[in-house]
Amino acid sequence: MKLSHEEVRRIALLARVGLSEEETEKLTTQLSVILQNFEILQEVDTSNVPPTAHVIAIDNTMREDKAAPSFLQKEILANAPQAEEGFFRIKAVLE
């Protein structure tokens, strides 16, 4: 599948990536080659290939949740660039 320059520019816009004309040209070629490789892979007959997913039941592999002592608040805030009244002070992200 060959991509057009407009399709690459649209993909860059959706990804919020600014591209120069040279980068658009380069990516058009590279992405087209990648898509052509996927087209080749789709032609491979996989009807006789067994599934690779686990078909046997697996027991819970997570560790037991145990209560443990926590750090002191002053130890945590010791590495903070700014702290105020026992909390991290950060720059406002919403106005």
Side-chain angles (χ1 to χ4, degrees), residues 19-35:
L19 296 177
S20 67
E21 194 56 42
E22 300 89 35
E23 292 170 324
T24 303
E25 179 67 36
K26 183 178 179 180
L27 282 174
T28 300
T29 304
Q30 290 177 342
L31 291 173
S32 294
V33 168
I34 291 170
L35 291 176

Side-chain angles (χ1 to χ4, degrees), residues 14-92:
L14 292 172
R16 305 288 193 259
V17 176
L19 296 177
S20 67
E21 194 56 42
E22 300 89 35
E23 292 170 324
T24 303
E25 179 67 36
K26 183 178 179 180
L27 282 174
T28 300
T29 304
Q30 290 177 342
L31 291 173
S32 294
V33 168
I34 291 170
L35 291 176
Q36 288 170 355
N37 288 335
F38 277 108
E39 287 175 351
I40 292 169
L41 287 175
Q42 287 178 339
E43 295 173 5
V44 175
D45 179 24
T46 59
S47 59
N48 293 328
V49 177
T52 57
H54 291 284
V55 292
I56 53 175
I58 298 177
D59 293 332
N60 187 0
T61 58
M62 299 185 63
R63 66 173 171 79
E64 183 180 339
D65 191 15
K66 296 180 183 176
S70 182
F71 292 102
L72 296 174
Q73 185 180 32
K74 68 179 184 177
E75 292 175 342
I76 299 294
L77 293 175
N79 293 323
Q82 293 181 337
E84 183 177 304
E85 297 179 12
F87 297 99
F88 290 103
R89 176 140 178 98
I90 62 168
K91 184 177 170 183

